[in-house]
Amino acid sequence: MLKLNLADFSLEHFMAHYWQQKPVVIRQGFDHFTDLISPNDLAGLACEEEVESRLVYKKDDQWQAEVGPFESYQRFGKEGWTLVVQAVNHWSPEVAELVKPFAFIPKWRLDDVMISYATPGGGVGPHIDLYDVFICQGSGRRHWRVGDLGEHKQFAAHAALLHTEPFEAIIDVELAPGDILYIPPGFPHEGVALEESMSFSVGFRAKSSCDLLSGLADYVIDKELGKALLSDSKRPICQHQGQINASDFSIIKAQLQAVLDNNTLMADFAGSYLSKTKCALDLQALDEPLAAKEVVNELLAQPLLRTGGLRCLYVDETVTQGVCYIEGERFDFGPACQQAVVALCDNDALSHALLERGLQNPEFVRQLTEWVNAGFWYFQD
Ligand code: SIN
Ligand code: CO
């Protein structure tokens, strides 16, 4: 298993002084780090319809970006281009391993593992990201510049490329295999490949209020909640017909606030919303479905592995009822299953012992079997 080495500071120091605050280079964060997927296999993935990918290069000094799937890479030549593939942790169990050393950040904050393969001189240009990213250097070397927070003008260098104006560097480094560059949201940065190279970016995306409110609106519509109409019985006689007076304004705000104050509704929304993936999962349904008994027996023999990128969460507010949220859905197994639900969400590999209490509950076993047959979890052999 990959182990993160922070030679110059402790994890606590990193969280207190760098996380969400300032960029830092972690030299040899991974000892003897080698590519978790080959450039060839990465290029192959970007030929698949369900995989999100982009190829960025310059033509006559103009930035160009093409969206995958790609059929061939021959026309791009040997220099000056980068292939970026999203959510590779969904498609490669080896790449999914790279999420584990970052388990000091909860899963609900994780976005995905994005990988870029670049030929010499290749890069995606100077830009600003909205997420925290750990850029782990694989094979080859890349030159990275990171600027400070500030009023950086952004512009579309191409319809699919949001760039930022040139910036002064506060970090100017060459990354070698095993080095990690951590960049919080908002810091402009640019990487240029010094030779053929691979970067593995573990991204953590925080939601904006706009994201959350639009997600909440979708949730209440979908679940047909929040339908009670605003009530203003015993209203005093209105003096100014065009006015929304202070008292009415309070009623309107209170109506919305009542939704936010409903902890069960909000826990169910947060769990469902945050457990949905934005990219496709590699769900491989079993050709010959297993019976519930077979799943339980197999669990005694080998671990049950979670498919890369599948998001399983619980919220303190509802977990006491044995509730968890998986891929946007709410599952309710009852209070006796609390421990099993926690184990299901906290572990990538499940054993019979970990799920013990849940396996005594027929509904838990039925649902687990359904998940295994649909490919959410799988036995290696
Ligand atoms: C890259 O790996 O080329 C781009 C990563 C980033 O800047 O976020
Ligand atoms: Co970036």
Side-chain angles (χ1 to χ4, degrees):
M1 180 171 146
L2 285 163
K3 192 180 161 303
L4 184 63
N5 307 308
L6 300 175
D8 299 333
F9 38 72
S10 65
L11 209 45
E12 287 74 17
H13 185 89
F14 172 81
M15 293 310 282
H17 299 281
Y18 293 101
W19 174 253
Q20 290 259 298
Q21 295 174 55
K22 54 181 187 239
V24 64
V25 176
I26 305 167
R27 287 287 180 200
Q28 290 305 287
F30 293 121
D31 280 339
H32 312 294
F33 187 69
T34 52
D35 291 339
L36 303 165
I37 185 170
S38 68
N40 254 341
D41 287 349
L42 186 74
L45 267 184
C47 299
E48 303 285 338
E49 192 74 49
E50 316 93 300
V51 178
E52 239 181 74
S53 61
R54 272 189 322 162
L55 204 143
V56 181
Y57 59 102
K58 263 186 178 174
K59 190 175 164 196
D60 303 329
D61 232 24
Q62 292 291 309
W63 285 97
Q64 308 290 330
E66 293 182 23
V67 176
F70 298 97
E71 284 181 3
S72 133
Y73 301 90
Q74 257 166 8
R75 67 194 164 95
F76 299 111
K78 291 201 175 326
E79 289 196 351
W81 58 272
T82 305
L83 171 69
V84 181
V85 186
Q86 292 298 143
V88 187
N89 54 315
H90 293 201
W91 303 95
S92 154
E94 292 77 21
V95 171
E97 285 293 304
L98 188 57
V99 175
K100 294 184 183 166
F102 299 99
F104 55 92
I105 314 286
K107 273 277 173 70
W108 70 267
R109 286 286 269 108
L110 178 71
D111 197 31
D112 67 2
V113 181
M114 183 196 91
I115 303 181
S116 77
Y117 161 79
T119 54
V124 300
H127 65 277
I128 294 175
D129 288 320
L130 291 174
Y131 46 77
D132 298 85
V133 65
F134 293 90
I135 301 174
C136 310
Q137 184 61 40
S139 58
R141 290 169 308 131
R142 257 183 224 193
H143 176 204
W144 284 94
R145 294 177 68 253
V146 184
D148 211 343
L149 291 177
E151 295 286 311
H152 299 285
K153 251 210 200 129
Q154 297 188 80
F155 60 95
H158 176 272
L161 273 185
L162 187 62
H163 276 179
T164 187
E165 287 186 331
F167 55 84
E168 218 172 284
I170 52 168
I171 287 182
D172 190 327
V173 284
E174 211 175 272
L175 292 194
D179 290 339
I180 301 173
L181 171 60
Y182 164 71
I183 310 175
F187 287 80
H189 55 280
E190 179 172 26
V192 178
L194 298 170
E195 53 201 20
E196 216 183 341
S197 66
M198 295 275 277
S199 295
F200 297 76
S201 297
V202 185
F204 292 88
R205 171 83 200 258
K207 304 287 182 194
S208 66
S209 311
C210 176
D211 294 333
L212 289 171
L213 284 170
S214 93
L216 180 60
D218 288 343
Y219 182 81
V220 294
I221 292 167
D222 192 44
K223 301 285 178 207
E224 303 200 20
L225 300 168
K227 294 217 161 173
L229 300 182
L230 181 149
S231 157
D232 58 353
S233 65
K234 306 217 166 78
R235 160 183 283 290
I237 288 160
C238 162
Q239 303 297 334
H240 302 279
Q241 232 189 337
Q243 180 189 28
I244 300 171
N245 68 22
S247 145
D248 284 349
F249 185 54
S250 300
I251 299 176
I252 294 166
K253 276 185 30 180
Q255 192 185 19
L256 288 174
Q257 193 61 50
V259 175
L260 299 178
D261 286 344
N262 182 335
N263 274 352
T264 309
L265 183 156
M266 288 303 289
D268 287 345
F269 157 64
S272 308
Y273 177 71
L274 295 168
S275 67
K276 250 184 245 162
T277 46
K278 69 170 199 229
C279 292
L281 291 166
D282 184 23
L283 294 178
Q284 299 190 20
L286 293 183
D287 292 336
E288 289 179 37
L290 295 174
K293 243 194 188 151
E294 292 172 296
V295 171
V296 177
N297 279 342
E298 203 54 42
L299 259 173
L300 287 163
Q302 59 169 318
L304 184 58
L305 307 175
R306 185 192 295 177
T307 288
L310 177 69
R311 300 168 81 94
C312 314
L313 304 172
Y314 58 89
V315 184
D316 286 352
E317 185 70 25
T318 52
V319 73
T320 47
Q321 299 307 308
V323 171
C324 61
Y325 309 89
I326 295 174
E327 188 50 17
E329 291 289 318
R330 177 187 191 273
F331 296 90
D332 183 346
F333 298 111
C337 285
Q338 177 176 353
Q339 213 179 17
V341 156
V342 168
L344 191 77
C345 297
D346 278 345
N347 298 281
D348 291 321
L350 301 168
S351 64
H352 194 283
L354 273 174
L355 298 181
E356 186 93 58
R357 298 288 301 275
L359 296 177
Q360 291 163 17
N361 176 316
E363 175 50 20
F364 186 88
V365 175
R366 192 205 58 75
Q367 186 58 60
L368 189 66
T369 306
E370 194 177 311
W371 282 325
V372 172
N373 287 330
F376 284 63
W377 276 267
Y378 63 97
F379 293 111
Q380 189 97 60
D381 305 314

